[in-house]
PDB file of all heavy atoms in Angstrom:
ATOM      1  N   ASP A   6       0.816  -1.188   0.010  1.00 97.00           N
ATOM      2  CA  ASP A   6      -0.001  -0.022  -0.022  1.00 97.00           C
ATOM      3  C   ASP A   6       0.899   1.232  -0.033  1.00 97.00           C
ATOM      4  O   ASP A   6       1.958   1.259   0.591  1.00 97.00           O
ATOM      5  CB  ASP A   6      -0.911   0.008   1.229  1.00 97.00           C
ATOM      6  CG  ASP A   6      -2.034  -1.002   1.127  1.00 97.00           C
ATOM      7  OD1 ASP A   6      -2.228  -1.574   0.044  1.00 97.00           O
ATOM      8  OD2 ASP A   6      -2.727  -1.226   2.139  1.00 97.00           O
ATOM      9  N   TYR A   7       0.414   2.307  -0.705  1.00 98.00           N
ATOM     10  CA  TYR A   7       1.150   3.528  -0.808  1.00 98.00           C
ATOM     11  C   TYR A   7       0.328   4.721  -0.347  1.00 98.00           C
ATOM     12  O   TYR A   7      -0.920   4.788  -0.656  1.00 98.00           O
ATOM     13  CB  TYR A   7       1.593   3.728  -2.257  1.00 98.00           C
ATOM     14  CG  TYR A   7       2.155   5.096  -2.574  1.00 98.00           C
ATOM     15  CD1 TYR A   7       3.411   5.493  -2.057  1.00 98.00           C
ATOM     16  CD2 TYR A   7       1.461   6.039  -3.317  1.00 98.00           C
ATOM     17  CE1 TYR A   7       3.957   6.739  -2.325  1.00 98.00           C
ATOM     18  CE2 TYR A   7       1.997   7.267  -3.603  1.00 98.00           C
ATOM     19  CZ  TYR A   7       3.211   7.641  -3.075  1.00 98.00           C
ATOM     20  OH  TYR A   7       3.746   8.860  -3.345  1.00 98.00           O
ATOM     21  N   SER A   8       1.006   5.628   0.379  1.00 97.00           N
ATOM     22  CA  SER A   8       0.327   6.844   0.779  1.00 97.00           C
ATOM     23  C   SER A   8       1.196   8.049   0.391  1.00 97.00           C
ATOM     24  O   SER A   8       2.384   8.135   0.789  1.00 97.00           O
ATOM     25  CB  SER A   8       0.155   6.910   2.320  1.00 97.00           C
ATOM     26  OG  SER A   8      -0.416   8.107   2.751  1.00 97.00           O
ATOM     27  N   GLN A   9       0.638   8.910  -0.441  1.00 97.00           N
ATOM     28  CA  GLN A   9       1.398  10.094  -0.901  1.00 97.00           C
ATOM     29  C   GLN A   9       1.299  11.171   0.156  1.00 97.00           C
ATOM     30  O   GLN A   9       0.238  11.596   0.634  1.00 97.00           O
ATOM     31  CB  GLN A   9       0.803  10.628  -2.231  1.00 97.00           C
ATOM     32  CG  GLN A   9       1.517  11.861  -2.726  1.00 97.00           C
ATOM     33  CD  GLN A   9       0.976  12.333  -4.056  1.00 97.00           C
ATOM     34  OE1 GLN A   9       0.445  11.585  -4.846  1.00 97.00           O
ATOM     35  NE2 GLN A   9       1.120  13.618  -4.342  1.00 97.00           N
ATOM     36  N   ARG A  10       2.487  11.622   0.611  1.00 97.00           N
ATOM     37  CA  ARG A  10       2.522  12.668   1.665  1.00 97.00           C
ATOM     38  C   ARG A  10       3.516  13.750   1.188  1.00 97.00           C
ATOM     39  O   ARG A  10       4.698  13.559   1.099  1.00 97.00           O
ATOM     40  CB  ARG A  10       3.102  12.057   2.967  1.00 97.00           C
ATOM     41  CG  ARG A  10       2.388  10.757   3.434  1.00 97.00           C
ATOM     42  CD  ARG A  10       0.968  11.070   3.859  1.00 97.00           C
ATOM     43  NE  ARG A  10       0.904  11.659   5.137  1.00 97.00           N
ATOM     44  CZ  ARG A  10      -0.225  11.862   5.823  1.00 97.00           C
ATOM     45  NH1 ARG A  10      -1.421  11.504   5.275  1.00 97.00           N
ATOM     46  NH2 ARG A  10      -0.233  12.429   6.997  1.00 97.00           N
ATOM     47  N   GLU A  11       2.924  14.874   0.904  1.00 96.00           N
ATOM     48  CA  GLU A  11       3.733  16.057   0.507  1.00 96.00           C
ATOM     49  C   GLU A  11       4.076  16.876   1.700  1.00 96.00           C
ATOM     50  O   GLU A  11       3.193  17.286   2.509  1.00 96.00           O
ATOM     51  CB  GLU A  11       3.012  16.903  -0.562  1.00 96.00           C
ATOM     52  CG  GLU A  11       2.635  16.109  -1.799  1.00 96.00           C
ATOM     53  CD  GLU A  11       3.797  15.449  -2.477  1.00 96.00           C
ATOM     54  OE1 GLU A  11       4.953  16.002  -2.370  1.00 96.00           O
ATOM     55  OE2 GLU A  11       3.595  14.436  -3.170  1.00 96.00           O
ATOM     56  N   VAL A  12       5.350  17.163   1.902  1.00 96.00           N
ATOM     57  CA  VAL A  12       5.827  17.783   3.173  1.00 96.00           C
ATOM     58  C   VAL A  12       6.555  19.107   2.914  1.00 96.00           C
ATOM     59  O   VAL A  12       7.248  19.573   3.802  1.00 96.00           O
ATOM     60  CB  VAL A  12       6.750  16.797   3.935  1.00 96.00           C
ATOM     61  CG1 VAL A  12       5.950  15.576   4.354  1.00 96.00           C
ATOM     62  CG2 VAL A  12       7.956  16.381   3.096  1.00 96.00           C
ATOM     63  N   GLY A  13       6.369  19.705   1.722  1.00 95.00           N
ATOM     64  CA  GLY A  13       6.982  20.987   1.515  1.00 95.00           C
ATOM     65  C   GLY A  13       8.395  20.958   1.022  1.00 95.00           C
ATOM     66  O   GLY A  13       9.058  22.025   0.975  1.00 95.00           O
ATOM     67  N   VAL A  14       8.911  19.827   0.595  1.00 97.00           N
ATOM     68  CA  VAL A  14      10.267  19.689   0.075  1.00 97.00           C
ATOM     69  C   VAL A  14      10.147  19.115  -1.341  1.00 97.00           C
ATOM     70  O   VAL A  14       9.578  18.034  -1.511  1.00 97.00           O
ATOM     71  CB  VAL A  14      11.155  18.757   0.945  1.00 97.00           C
ATOM     72  CG1 VAL A  14      12.542  18.620   0.319  1.00 97.00           C
ATOM     73  CG2 VAL A  14      11.217  19.319   2.362  1.00 97.00           C
ATOM     74  N   PRO A  15      10.679  19.772  -2.378  1.00 96.00           N
ATOM     75  CA  PRO A  15      10.563  19.257  -3.708  1.00 96.00           C
ATOM     76  C   PRO A  15      11.375  17.989  -3.978  1.00 96.00           C
ATOM     77  O   PRO A  15      12.480  17.857  -3.426  1.00 96.00           O
ATOM     78  CB  PRO A  15      11.086  20.415  -4.570  1.00 96.00           C
ATOM     79  CG  PRO A  15      12.038  21.147  -3.701  1.00 96.00           C
ATOM     80  CD  PRO A  15      11.466  21.048  -2.327  1.00 96.00           C
ATOM     81  N   VAL A  16      10.783  17.067  -4.673  1.00 97.00           N
ATOM     82  CA  VAL A  16      11.467  15.807  -4.932  1.00 97.00           C
ATOM     83  C   VAL A  16      11.554  15.599  -6.450  1.00 97.00           C
ATOM     84  O   VAL A  16      10.805  16.116  -7.273  1.00 97.00           O
ATOM     85  CB  VAL A  16      10.720  14.639  -4.307  1.00 97.00           C
ATOM     86  CG1 VAL A  16      10.729  14.700  -2.799  1.00 97.00           C
ATOM     87  CG2 VAL A  16       9.227  14.519  -4.830  1.00 97.00           C
ATOM     88  N   GLY A  17      12.580  14.795  -6.835  1.00 97.00           N
ATOM     89  CA  GLY A  17      12.800  14.522  -8.253  1.00 97.00           C
ATOM     90  C   GLY A  17      13.475  13.208  -8.452  1.00 97.00           C
ATOM     91  O   GLY A  17      13.735  12.448  -7.517  1.00 97.00           O
ATOM     92  N   PHE A  18      13.765  12.906  -9.715  1.00 96.00           N
ATOM     93  CA  PHE A  18      14.413  11.662 -10.066  1.00 96.00           C
ATOM     94  C   PHE A  18      15.852  11.693  -9.562  1.00 96.00           C
ATOM     95  O   PHE A  18      16.602  12.598  -9.772  1.00 96.00           O
ATOM     96  CB  PHE A  18      14.470  11.490 -11.563  1.00 96.00           C
ATOM     97  CG  PHE A  18      13.080  11.331 -12.167  1.00 96.00           C
ATOM     98  CD1 PHE A  18      12.618  12.247 -13.130  1.00 96.00           C
ATOM     99  CD2 PHE A  18      12.206  10.327 -11.801  1.00 96.00           C
ATOM    100  CE1 PHE A  18      11.357  12.101 -13.707  1.00 96.00           C
ATOM    101  CE2 PHE A  18      10.935  10.213 -12.314  1.00 96.00           C
ATOM    102  CZ  PHE A  18      10.526  11.111 -13.304  1.00 96.00           C
ATOM    103  N   TRP A  19      16.186  10.613  -8.846  1.00 93.00           N
ATOM    104  CA  TRP A  19      17.511  10.469  -8.264  1.00 93.00           C
ATOM    105  C   TRP A  19      18.115   9.142  -8.611  1.00 93.00           C
ATOM    106  O   TRP A  19      17.716   8.099  -8.100  1.00 93.00           O
ATOM    107  CB  TRP A  19      17.412  10.608  -6.694  1.00 93.00           C
ATOM    108  CG  TRP A  19      18.656  10.772  -5.930  1.00 93.00           C
ATOM    109  CD1 TRP A  19      19.242  11.912  -5.508  1.00 93.00           C
ATOM    110  CD2 TRP A  19      19.500   9.699  -5.352  1.00 93.00           C
ATOM    111  NE1 TRP A  19      20.376  11.654  -4.770  1.00 93.00           N
ATOM    112  CE2 TRP A  19      20.537  10.327  -4.652  1.00 93.00           C
ATOM    113  CE3 TRP A  19      19.417   8.302  -5.419  1.00 93.00           C
ATOM    114  CZ2 TRP A  19      21.506   9.589  -3.992  1.00 93.00           C
ATOM    115  CZ3 TRP A  19      20.372   7.597  -4.749  1.00 93.00           C
ATOM    116  CH2 TRP A  19      21.387   8.211  -4.048  1.00 93.00           C
ATOM    117  N   ARG A  20      18.886   9.139  -9.620  1.00 87.00           N
ATOM    118  CA  ARG A  20      19.613   7.925 -10.086  1.00 87.00           C
ATOM    119  C   ARG A  20      18.643   6.792 -10.353  1.00 87.00           C
ATOM    120  O   ARG A  20      17.825   6.910 -11.297  1.00 87.00           O
ATOM    121  CB  ARG A  20      20.678   7.542  -9.093  1.00 87.00           C
ATOM    122  CG  ARG A  20      21.720   8.658  -8.953  1.00 87.00           C
ATOM    123  CD  ARG A  20      22.780   8.396  -7.904  1.00 87.00           C
ATOM    124  NE  ARG A  20      23.627   7.256  -8.318  1.00 87.00           N
ATOM    125  CZ  ARG A  20      24.899   7.194  -7.975  1.00 87.00           C
ATOM    126  NH1 ARG A  20      25.455   8.126  -7.311  1.00 87.00           N
ATOM    127  NH2 ARG A  20      25.625   6.143  -8.376  1.00 87.00           N
ATOM    128  N   SER A  21      18.580   5.738  -9.604  1.00 91.00           N
ATOM    129  CA  SER A  21      17.685   4.606  -9.907  1.00 91.00           C
ATOM    130  C   SER A  21      16.289   4.816  -9.360  1.00 91.00           C
ATOM    131  O   SER A  21      15.516   3.904  -9.238  1.00 91.00           O
ATOM    132  CB  SER A  21      18.276   3.286  -9.379  1.00 91.00           C
ATOM    133  OG  SER A  21      18.530   3.429  -7.997  1.00 91.00           O
ATOM    134  N   VAL A  22      15.975   6.037  -8.971  1.00 94.00           N
ATOM    135  CA  VAL A  22      14.661   6.484  -8.534  1.00 94.00           C
ATOM    136  C   VAL A  22      14.212   5.640  -7.318  1.00 94.00           C
ATOM    137  O   VAL A  22      14.964   5.602  -6.353  1.00 94.00           O
ATOM    138  CB  VAL A  22      13.606   6.472  -9.676  1.00 94.00           C
ATOM    139  CG1 VAL A  22      12.412   7.326  -9.366  1.00 94.00           C
ATOM    140  CG2 VAL A  22      14.252   6.958 -10.985  1.00 94.00           C
ATOM    141  N   GLY A  23      13.079   4.971  -7.371  1.00 95.00           N
ATOM    142  CA  GLY A  23      12.611   4.278  -6.196  1.00 95.00           C
ATOM    143  C   GLY A  23      13.471   3.111  -5.801  1.00 95.00           C
ATOM    144  O   GLY A  23      13.551   2.764  -4.630  1.00 95.00           O
ATOM    145  N   HIS A  24      14.125   2.498  -6.784  1.00 96.00           N
ATOM    146  CA  HIS A  24      14.911   1.324  -6.437  1.00 96.00           C
ATOM    147  C   HIS A  24      16.063   1.637  -5.454  1.00 96.00           C
ATOM    148  O   HIS A  24      16.436   0.812  -4.612  1.00 96.00           O
ATOM    149  CB  HIS A  24      15.591   0.749  -7.676  1.00 96.00           C
ATOM    150  CG  HIS A  24      14.608   0.083  -8.600  1.00 96.00           C
ATOM    151  ND1 HIS A  24      14.190  -1.224  -8.444  1.00 96.00           N
ATOM    152  CD2 HIS A  24      13.994   0.507  -9.733  1.00 96.00           C
ATOM    153  CE1 HIS A  24      13.354  -1.564  -9.409  1.00 96.00           C
ATOM    154  NE2 HIS A  24      13.182  -0.518 -10.173  1.00 96.00           N
ATOM    155  N   SER A  25      16.545   2.872  -5.482  1.00 93.00           N
ATOM    156  CA  SER A  25      17.732   3.213  -4.631  1.00 93.00           C
ATOM    157  C   SER A  25      17.417   3.031  -3.141  1.00 93.00           C
ATOM    158  O   SER A  25      18.282   2.594  -2.404  1.00 93.00           O
ATOM    159  CB  SER A  25      18.166   4.641  -4.933  1.00 93.00           C
ATOM    160  OG  SER A  25      17.185   5.522  -4.545  1.00 93.00           O
ATOM    161  N   GLY A  26      16.223   3.378  -2.740  1.00 95.00           N
ATOM    162  CA  GLY A  26      15.860   3.226  -1.377  1.00 95.00           C
ATOM    163  C   GLY A  26      15.148   1.930  -1.096  1.00 95.00           C
ATOM    164  O   GLY A  26      15.353   1.258  -0.014  1.00 95.00           O
ATOM    165  N   ASN A  27      14.304   1.478  -2.022  1.00 97.00           N
ATOM    166  CA  ASN A  27      13.484   0.301  -1.796  1.00 97.00           C
ATOM    167  C   ASN A  27      14.328  -0.955  -1.726  1.00 97.00           C
ATOM    168  O   ASN A  27      13.979  -1.909  -0.997  1.00 97.00           O
ATOM    169  CB  ASN A  27      12.385   0.208  -2.873  1.00 97.00           C
ATOM    170  CG  ASN A  27      11.412   1.345  -2.814  1.00 97.00           C
ATOM    171  OD1 ASN A  27      11.317   2.049  -1.786  1.00 97.00           O
ATOM    172  ND2 ASN A  27      10.653   1.542  -3.852  1.00 97.00           N
ATOM    173  N   ALA A  28      15.374  -0.998  -2.466  1.00 97.00           N
ATOM    174  CA  ALA A  28      16.275  -2.172  -2.416  1.00 97.00           C
ATOM    175  C   ALA A  28      16.837  -2.332  -1.015  1.00 97.00           C
ATOM    176  O   ALA A  28      16.984  -3.482  -0.522  1.00 97.00           O
ATOM    177  CB  ALA A  28      17.412  -2.047  -3.486  1.00 97.00           C
ATOM    178  N   ILE A  29      17.208  -1.196  -0.372  1.00 96.00           N
ATOM    179  CA  ILE A  29      17.721  -1.255   0.996  1.00 96.00           C
ATOM    180  C   ILE A  29      16.690  -1.823   1.965  1.00 96.00           C
ATOM    181  O   ILE A  29      16.991  -2.710   2.790  1.00 96.00           O
ATOM    182  CB  ILE A  29      18.136   0.151   1.461  1.00 96.00           C
ATOM    183  CG1 ILE A  29      19.274   0.667   0.590  1.00 96.00           C
ATOM    184  CG2 ILE A  29      18.504   0.169   2.936  1.00 96.00           C
ATOM    185  CD1 ILE A  29      19.606   2.119   0.858  1.00 96.00           C
ATOM    186  N   VAL A  30      15.426  -1.363   1.786  1.00 97.00           N
ATOM    187  CA  VAL A  30      14.363  -1.855   2.701  1.00 97.00           C
ATOM    188  C   VAL A  30      14.122  -3.327   2.485  1.00 97.00           C
ATOM    189  O   VAL A  30      14.073  -4.139   3.436  1.00 97.00           O
ATOM    190  CB  VAL A  30      13.097  -1.046   2.460  1.00 97.00           C
ATOM    191  CG1 VAL A  30      11.911  -1.623   3.214  1.00 97.00           C
ATOM    192  CG2 VAL A  30      13.308   0.410   2.805  1.00 97.00           C
ATOM    193  N   VAL A  31      13.938  -3.754   1.247  1.00 98.00           N
ATOM    194  CA  VAL A  31      13.620  -5.166   0.960  1.00 98.00           C
ATOM    195  C   VAL A  31      14.726  -6.069   1.404  1.00 98.00           C
ATOM    196  O   VAL A  31      14.482  -7.071   2.110  1.00 98.00           O
ATOM    197  CB  VAL A  31      13.375  -5.356  -0.541  1.00 98.00           C
ATOM    198  CG1 VAL A  31      13.250  -6.859  -0.891  1.00 98.00           C
ATOM    199  CG2 VAL A  31      12.073  -4.637  -0.965  1.00 98.00           C
ATOM    200  N   GLU A  32      15.965  -5.728   1.079  1.00 98.00           N
ATOM    201  CA  GLU A  32      17.077  -6.622   1.429  1.00 98.00           C
ATOM    202  C   GLU A  32      17.379  -6.608   2.945  1.00 98.00           C
ATOM    203  O   GLU A  32      17.730  -7.643   3.503  1.00 98.00           O
ATOM    204  CB  GLU A  32      18.333  -6.209   0.650  1.00 98.00           C
ATOM    205  CG  GLU A  32      18.271  -6.521  -0.829  1.00 98.00           C
ATOM    206  CD  GLU A  32      18.078  -8.021  -1.068  1.00 98.00           C
ATOM    207  OE1 GLU A  32      19.064  -8.769  -0.987  1.00 98.00           O
ATOM    208  OE2 GLU A  32      16.955  -8.433  -1.365  1.00 98.00           O
ATOM    209  N   SER A  33      17.080  -5.488   3.592  1.00 97.00           N
ATOM    210  CA  SER A  33      17.254  -5.518   5.049  1.00 97.00           C
ATOM    211  C   SER A  33      16.179  -6.410   5.695  1.00 97.00           C
ATOM    212  O   SER A  33      16.483  -7.179   6.632  1.00 97.00           O
ATOM    213  CB  SER A  33      17.103  -4.068   5.632  1.00 97.00           C
ATOM    214  OG  SER A  33      18.115  -3.261   5.147  1.00 97.00           O
ATOM    215  N   MET A  34      14.973  -6.334   5.185  1.00 97.00           N
ATOM    216  CA  MET A  34      13.892  -7.200   5.701  1.00 97.00           C
ATOM    217  C   MET A  34      14.180  -8.660   5.456  1.00 97.00           C
ATOM    218  O   MET A  34      13.951  -9.527   6.288  1.00 97.00           O
ATOM    219  CB  MET A  34      12.569  -6.774   5.106  1.00 97.00           C
ATOM    220  CG  MET A  34      11.354  -7.458   5.783  1.00 97.00           C
ATOM    221  SD  MET A  34      11.150  -6.981   7.496  1.00 97.00           S
ATOM    222  CE  MET A  34       9.687  -7.881   7.928  1.00 97.00           C
ATOM    223  N   VAL A  35      14.700  -8.979   4.264  1.00 98.00           N
ATOM    224  CA  VAL A  35      15.035 -10.344   3.968  1.00 98.00           C
ATOM    225  C   VAL A  35      16.117 -10.854   4.944  1.00 98.00           C
ATOM    226  O   VAL A  35      16.081 -12.015   5.368  1.00 98.00           O
ATOM    227  CB  VAL A  35      15.489 -10.504   2.492  1.00 98.00           C
ATOM    228  CG1 VAL A  35      16.099 -11.864   2.232  1.00 98.00           C
ATOM    229  CG2 VAL A  35      14.339 -10.236   1.557  1.00 98.00           C
TER     230      VAL A  35
END
């Protein structure tokens, strides 16, 4: 599930986009 939360800080494409952080989460959980 996803919840969009805008907090007043602009965001953009950063290298591998979502994979860059999500890989850390998934592999840490594994």
Side-chain angles (χ1 to χ4, degrees):
D6 287 349
Y7 170 70
S8 177
Q9 180 177 333
R10 308 293 283 188
E11 301 304 333
V12 295
V14 178
V16 294
F18 296 121
W19 191 92
R20 300 178 67 148
S21 56
V22 199
H24 288 280
S25 65
N27 295 344
I29 296 171
V30 173
V31 169
E32 289 300 281
S33 297
M34 189 64 179
V35 170

